[in-house]
């Protein structure tokens, strides 16, 4: 059974990041974190309905938004426009941002591949578990079928024995009926002869 996904959130560099993952460990791997951000207090499970909805729509994909904003999370968020710097340095930051933004796509693809591989592993595990459960169910079905076959064979044998005994009894009944009829016929003749003799004796 697949583990329930939860939404985890952190801030790295210029972005807030969020992901729907089955565990904190999976979230840290997707973020590419070298340390446990949750123990450091830099990451947490999110309970924001909007963030949860966004991440659950794309489970396993790292979503971003400019740090310190309430913008919606997306796969390719723009850099924050107000970093508290002065005009001349903003251009430098912008150029840095364009450089930093270019490698962000492969990072997303890497995170997506990791999530896909994780889900494929989970899928294979679930398939193996289903196959194991199906094998157990098949074994149980075979055991039950064997019990049914055994009970049916016993019933069939008993029915055959009963039919045999009933046929023997019926044959005996028919033989007795025949003997009874023979006896009745003999008695009728004997009675008629004796009554005739009695009438003759009486004159």
């Amino acid at each position: 059974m697949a583990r329930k996904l939860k939404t985890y959130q952190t801030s790295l560099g210029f972005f807030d990041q969020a992901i729907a993952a089955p565990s904190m460990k999976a979230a840290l791997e997707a973020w590419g974190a070298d340390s446990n951000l949750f123990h450091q207090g830099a990451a947490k499970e999110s309970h924001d309905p909007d963030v949860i909805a966004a991440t659950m729509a794309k489970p396993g994909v790292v979503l971003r938004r400019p740090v310190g904003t309430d913008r919606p999370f997306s796969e390719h968020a723009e850099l924050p426009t107000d970093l508290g710097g002065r005009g001349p340095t903003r251009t430098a930051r912008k150029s840095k941002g364009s450089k930093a933004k270019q490698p962000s796509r492969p990072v997303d693809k890497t995170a997506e591949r990791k999530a896909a591989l994780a889900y494929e592993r989970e899928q294979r595990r679930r398939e193996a578990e289903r196959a194991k459960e199906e094998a157990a169910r098949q074994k149980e079905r075979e055991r039950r079928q064997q019990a049914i076959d055994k009970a049916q064979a016993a019933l069939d044998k008993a029915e055959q024995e009963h039919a045999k005994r009933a046929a023997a009894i019926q044959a005996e009944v028919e033989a007795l009926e025949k003997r009874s009829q023979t006896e009745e016929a003999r008695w009728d003749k004997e009675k008629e002869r004796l009554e005739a003799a009695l009438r003759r004796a009486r004159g």
Side-chain angles (χ1 to χ4, degrees), residues 107-156:
V107 170
D108 285 342
K109 288 180 180 178
T110 301
E112 290 173 10
R113 278 198 301 274
K114 283 184 179 180
L117 289 173
Y119 290 141
E120 284 176 10
R121 285 196 298 272
E122 181 63 17
Q123 181 66 23
R124 286 195 296 270
R125 187 194 69 77
R126 286 199 302 268
E127 287 174 357
E129 187 175 332
R130 280 197 296 268
K132 185 178 179 181
E133 290 174 355
E134 178 57 29
R137 283 194 295 270
Q138 180 63 27
K139 188 175 181 180
E140 176 61 20
R141 283 195 294 267
E142 290 174 357
R143 186 197 65 76
R144 189 179 296 119
Q145 189 59 48
Q146 287 176 355
I148 291 171
D149 292 344
K150 185 177 180 181
Q152 185 65 50
L155 176 60
D156 292 344

Side-chain angles (χ1 to χ4, degrees), residues 14 79-100:
F14 296 125
L79 282 167
T81 55
D82 184 9
L83 297 174
R86 292 172 295 178
T89 59
R90 190 170 292 180
T91 305
R93 280 194 184 132
K94 202 169 185 181
S95 63
K96 282 183 183 178
S98 60
K99 289 180 183 177

Side-chain angles (χ1 to χ4, degrees), residues 176-186:
L176 287 171
E177 183 65 27
K178 187 174 181 181
R179 286 175 60 190
S180 176
Q181 291 173 358
T182 302
E183 176 59 22
E184 285 297 324
R186 185 200 66 77

Side-chain angles (χ1 to χ4, degrees), residues 3-5 10 39-40 46-47 59-60 68 88 128 138 148 167 171 178 199:
R3 294 174 62 186
K4 183 179 178 182
L5 296 179
T10 189
H39 286 178
Q40 296 167 10
S46 176
H47 299 287
Q138 180 63 27
I148 291 171
K178 187 174 181 181
R199 284 195 299 270

